[in-house]
Amino acid sequence: MESINPELNQEPPSLPKTLHAVLKDLHRRPYPHVPNPPSCKKRASVALVLRIRPTYAHWPNSPSLPAEQDPAVSTEQRLETFFSQPWVQHGTPEVLFIKRASRVGDRWTGHVALPGGKRDPEDTDDRAAAIREASEEVGLDLTTNDYIYIGNLPERVVTTSWGSVPLMVLCPFVFLSTRSDSPTLKLQPTEVASSHWVPLENLLSPSARTVEYVDMSQRFAKQGGLIARLICRSLAGSMEFAAIHLQPNETLMCNTTPSPDTIASQSSPSIFQRWKTCCSTNSAASVDSTRPLLLWGLTLGILADFLDMLPPHTAVRLWKYPTFTSPDLRFIVSILTYGLRKRNMLRVRSGPRTVASNTAVDSKTAALPVHQETNTKHDHNDVGIGGLGVGRYHGPLDKAYDGSTYAVGIMLRGYYEKLRVAVYVFLAWRVALGSMAAVYAWRFLQGRRR
């Protein structure tokens, strides 16, 4: 008679129970502090705010206002008390996101992000900056007993898209709301267009994975002008970056109502305005409020670190390699990187689970994990393309402070070199194709003259 393993009949742990274990582990093992690289003094902080939304069948009788916090009660004890409540055990964990307001000159205008911003001189530390920014942008006071400070996620250096110029150090901090009702948010109109509570199930779902298309011709705004941008756009098309389609449970729009004249002018743009928007390098001009909420770039990189701690631990593996929309360039990239991608994926599957990822990239910046001294012999030309900085200028990409490897660091090992070769092959192919077309056209015209 076959023996039955009782563990096989056990139901998988609920998401709140798993979240409890992850938060407890984050509190016990904080990530190390990352100092500023040379010539970079700016630091920024963001707040990853979590809450549990109660279900209809397990709705609490009161908003469960917490008692006055006893200094003798540890964070782990507060977590144990909070997650022991029935409405929490059967609730839906959610994350607070904001959609940034459209602002001229802001490189992250219109992006989905976490509440946060640059550290000010009056901030005592990076966490104080995250708390202040959350209060200013969405009106949350994270210092009250309604919130439990959990810990931090891996800090990163945000660089320019070529990875050679550091902009700031980005520091994420995790907070948990202990209330059962939705907190009252007060959105700052100049910073935030809307706020969204998104369930963790949505962030973990493979069906929510999609791509964001980025016009890479904007990179030539100061490197050749309009003609160079139009040529780049016609040849290479756009780049595809990994993204998550967000489906929030609760959305709050900023309470700013445009005037009727503004609405009328926005509803019927002229042909010149459309052409200017198409060719403009100002990303604020191209923000469309009707577009779906897409999480990508720097914020996706931060969330990938956190989501990969939750079962089934596939947040990093669901990440897609950046590529191009031009069919022939896409085909060349696929052929040249096929073997490398297979080998790197085998290394990821055979290695230990990662500590942090390097998926925090977009069209203009790249957030790089830093745990070692700067390599002063770095070749500044040995970087990625269009927001895919490899991070060698600020430290090894695929090594953590404890010697373990980053999953995406392994996946991208050698990918940028292949991508660069693919672009060169693509340009040579297009030049050859154009030359053949020109010769054929010249011969055709010569034949007609005869």
Side-chain angles (χ1 to χ4, degrees):
M1 184 175 180
E2 294 184 1
S3 60
I4 299 177
N5 188 351
E7 295 183 357
L8 298 178
N9 295 329
Q10 293 180 356
E11 294 184 0
S14 63
L15 190 53
K17 184 176 181 180
T18 306
L19 178 63
H20 179 201
V22 169
L23 296 182
K24 188 163 57 174
D25 184 67
L26 274 178
H27 177 72
R28 288 177 178 175
R29 299 190 297 173
Y31 285 92
H33 171 74
V34 173
N36 285 71
S39 72
C40 175
K41 297 182 179 180
K42 293 182 179 179
R43 300 182 70 86
S45 301
V46 294
L48 174 58
V49 182
L50 299 163
R51 60 157 293 187
I52 306 294
R53 179 183 294 274
T55 60
Y56 179 81
H58 299 86
W59 202 269
N61 296 325
S62 65
S64 63
L65 291 174
E68 290 296 327
Q69 182 178 350
D70 186 354
V73 178
S74 65
T75 298
E76 291 192 23
Q77 290 175 320
R78 295 186 67 192
L79 288 174
E80 290 287 347
T81 302
F82 174 72
F83 280 97
S84 64
Q85 301 176 90
W87 70 267
V88 175
Q89 296 173 355
H90 297 86
T92 302
E94 296 177 338
V95 180
L96 176 63
F97 292 99
I98 62 172
K99 184 176 182 181
R100 298 213 166 271
S102 300
R103 297 192 303 174
V104 177
D106 185 0
R107 68 176 67 242
W108 293 292
T109 182
H111 282 205
V112 174
L114 299 172
K118 290 188 294 184
R119 176 176 171 177
D120 289 343
E122 60 268 19
D123 295 324
T124 56
D125 53 23
D126 295 323
R127 179 166 41 135
I131 293 174
R132 176 185 54 78
E133 286 288 343
S135 176
E136 293 176 356
E137 291 187 345
V138 296
L140 289 182
D141 187 358
L142 301 178
T143 62
T144 65
N145 294 333
D146 292 339
Y147 297 91
I148 303 176
Y149 169 65
I150 304 300
N152 67 327
L153 292 173
E155 301 178 359
R156 305 170 184 271
V157 172
V158 179
T159 75
T160 58
S161 57
W162 291 104
S164 58
V165 180
L167 300 177
M168 66 183 72
V169 177
L170 182 62
C171 310
F173 297 91
V174 183
F175 299 85
L176 173 66
S177 172
T178 59
R179 293 182 61 93
S180 61
D181 57 347
S182 297
T184 302
L185 301 181
K186 184 176 65 175
L187 307 185
Q188 186 180 22
T190 58
E191 298 284 346
V192 182
S194 57
S195 64
H196 310 271
W197 287 101
V198 180
L200 278 181
E201 289 95 334
N202 176 208
L203 299 173
L204 294 169
S205 173
S207 62
R209 292 286 171 153
T210 181
V211 293
E212 169 70 326
Y213 297 97
V214 178
D215 181 12
M216 296 309 300
S217 65
Q218 294 183 2
R219 289 186 50 81
F220 293 90
K222 299 180 181 179
Q223 304 176 21
L226 176 62
I227 301 300
R229 293 199 304 274
L230 293 178
I231 294 176
C232 175
R233 185 179 302 177
S234 62
L235 288 177
S238 302
M239 280 201 74
E240 291 183 5
F241 291 90
I244 299 178
H245 183 192
L246 301 183
Q247 297 176 336
N249 282 341
E250 181 179 329
T251 295
L252 175 64
M253 308 301 294
C254 189
N255 58 351
T256 55
T257 304
S259 63
D261 295 337
T262 304
I263 297 176
S265 63
Q266 291 179 349
S267 60
S268 56
S270 63
I271 297 177
F272 175 75
Q273 289 175 332
R274 294 177 182 176
W275 179 85
K276 183 179 179 181
T277 300
C278 180
C279 300
S280 174
T281 60
N282 175 22
S283 57
S286 60
V287 174
D288 185 0
S289 59
T290 62
R291 294 185 59 205
L293 287 174
L294 294 183
L295 176 66
W296 69 290
L298 302 180
T299 309
L300 176 58
I302 296 172
L303 264 294
D305 294 332
F306 178 73
L307 296 176
D308 203 51
M309 302 175 188
L310 299 168
H313 309 292
T314 57
V316 171
R317 295 184 185 181
L318 289 175
W319 177 82
K320 295 182 179 180
Y321 281 92
T323 186
F324 296 86
T325 57
S326 176
D328 45 354
L329 178 54
R330 189 187 189 100
F331 177 75
I332 295 172
V333 170
S334 177
I335 293 298
L336 292 182
T337 62
Y338 176 76
L340 180 139
R341 287 184 282 115
K342 287 195 66 175
R343 291 192 301 271
N344 289 351
M345 181 55 69
L346 288 176
R347 291 170 183 162
V348 170
R349 292 175 178 174
S350 61
R353 196 163 73 85
T354 59
V355 177
S357 68
N358 191 44
T359 57
V361 292
D362 57 30
S363 60
K364 298 181 181 179
T365 55
L368 313 173
V370 179
H371 300 294
Q372 299 185 15
E373 295 296 328
T374 300
N375 181 10
T376 57
K377 297 182 179 180
H378 166 71
D379 180 4
H380 290 261
N381 294 319
D382 191 10
V383 293
I385 298 176
L388 306 179
V390 298
R392 293 174 184 166
Y393 180 64
H394 301 293
L397 170 69
D398 52 1
K399 290 293 183 181
Y401 66 96
D402 59 356
S404 59
T405 55
Y406 296 100
V408 178
I410 298 175
M411 293 168 64
L412 289 176
R413 188 177 296 166
Y415 184 77
Y416 300 114
E417 289 79 2
K418 295 287 186 180
L419 200 65
R420 189 180 297 111
V421 172
V423 172
Y424 293 152
V425 173
F426 166 75
L427 293 176
W429 154 252
R430 282 295 183 93
V431 169
L433 192 64
S435 301
M436 292 174 59
V439 171
Y440 177 80
W442 182 79
R443 290 181 178 178
F444 177 77
L445 293 176
Q446 290 293 325
R448 294 197 61 178
R449 289 179 181 178
R450 295 175 184 175

